[in-house]
Amino acid sequence: MVDRLANSEANTRRISIVENCFGAAGQPLTIPGRVLIGEGVLTKLCRKKPKARQFFLFNDILVYGNIVIQKKKYNKQHIIPLENVTIDSIQDEGDLRNGWLIKTPTKSFAVYAATATEKSEWMNHINKCVSDLLSKSGKTPSNEHAAVWVPDSEAAVCMRCQKAKFTPVNRRHHCRKCGFVVCGPCSEKRFLLPSQSSKPVRICDFCYDLLSTGEMTACQSTRSDSYSQSPKSSLNDVSDDEDDEDSSD
């Protein structure tokens, strides 16, 4: 079905509409063989609070952006190659329902759909697109992904030293390798993680020691489902993953 739609006028017109909605600031999306599979609004957990984002699923990429005018205009376009994507379901917990993780080597974050049916459809379509791409290219699924940041609400004290309490003065920071919430003294070092940035990024002392000795996999966070583990989490108090630009935290 995807192959049949690839060169259809209807598909070309739909992709053109998406391009126009992002305006001149967005990258061109029309290329031979690309098909728009579906679109919809998902709630993305951003750094300060959950925000509605418009997502577009193509057969080779996932695109999302800020909603400027409902169903008409979007900005700050993000393009994620599906070959690098893996997804994991998140268990429902309080207000956080119908969610899953979108994980890539560069960035990983959680999104939530309005209903369980919508979640299932999104996950099934994404998995099918990824499977088809890998099958055609002969590549293997990516086994590396950026850590999903632990929500600020889960850490009243530094997750490494277990002593420093967070206040408006003693700010929270996130280790880019493990995703833990840490204090400034526990995350003064920087390390180059090429998949995430061309410049050295903030990491905690624990991960720095392991990375420096070559034990890179040992400090990968195992808390990929951290969004579903805290009974205190809600759509109103979770602030974590940076959304539109790099964070200094």
Side-chain angles (χ1 to χ4, degrees), residues 44-60:
K44 178 179 179 293
L45 294 191
C46 303
R47 179 170 176 263
K48 294 183 179 180
K49 62 180 181 179
K51 297 178 182 178
R53 294 288 180 256
Q54 185 76 20
F55 281 77
F56 300 91
L57 177 63
F58 296 83
N59 59 329
D60 62 334

Side-chain angles (χ1 to χ4, degrees), residues 15 18-19 22-31 34-36 44 53-66 74-85 102-109 133 195 243-244:
I15 296 179
V18 176
E19 285 183 340
F22 279 102
Q27 296 184 35
L29 299 172
T30 302
I31 65 170
R34 177 168 290 163
V35 175
L36 178 59
K44 178 179 179 293
R53 294 288 180 256
Q54 185 76 20
F55 281 77
F56 300 91
L57 177 63
F58 296 83
N59 59 329
D60 62 334
I61 58 174
L62 182 66
V63 178
Y64 71 91
N66 298 3
Y74 317 108
N75 66 9
K76 297 186 178 178
Q77 181 191 67
H78 299 260
I79 299 177
I80 302 174
L82 285 179
E83 277 191 349
N84 299 327
V85 168
I102 296 175
K103 302 189 294 185
T104 79
T106 303
K107 184 177 184 178
S108 302
F109 54 90
L133 281 172
S195 62
D243 183 36
D244 303 318

Side-chain angles (χ1 to χ4, degrees), residues 127-148:
N127 278 327
K128 179 65 165 58
C129 289
V130 173
S131 176
D132 289 347
L133 281 172
L134 294 176
S135 178
K136 291 179 180 179
S137 68
K139 297 180 180 178
T140 57
S142 175
N143 58 4
E144 178 186 359
H145 61 81
V148 179

Side-chain angles (χ1 to χ4, degrees), residues 61-131:
I61 58 174
L62 182 66
V63 178
Y64 71 91
N66 298 3
I67 301 173
V68 181
I69 302 175
Q70 189 70 21
K71 293 293 185 181
K72 292 183 179 180
K73 296 292 181 182
Y74 317 108
N75 66 9
K76 297 186 178 178
Q77 181 191 67
H78 299 260
I79 299 177
I80 302 174
L82 285 179
E83 277 191 349
N84 299 327
V85 168
T86 57
I87 59 176
D88 287 331
S89 179
I90 303 173
Q91 293 183 359
D92 291 344
E93 185 68 52
D95 292 334
L96 297 174
R97 306 182 67 81
N98 310 314
W100 67 98
L101 299 177
I102 296 175
K103 302 189 294 185
T104 79
T106 303
K107 184 177 184 178
S108 302
F109 54 90
V111 293
Y112 291 83
T115 67
T117 299
E118 186 179 346
K119 169 187 174 178
S120 177
E121 290 176 349
W122 270 103
M123 293 189 69
N124 288 339
H125 284 307
I126 292 173
N127 278 327
K128 179 65 165 58
C129 289
V130 173
S131 176

Side-chain angles (χ1 to χ4, degrees), residues 1-8 14 35-37 125 128:
M1 180 178 177
V2 170
D3 293 337
R4 178 167 54 84
L5 291 173
N7 299 314
S8 69
R14 291 175 67 198
V35 175
L36 178 59
I37 305 297
H125 284 307
K128 179 65 165 58

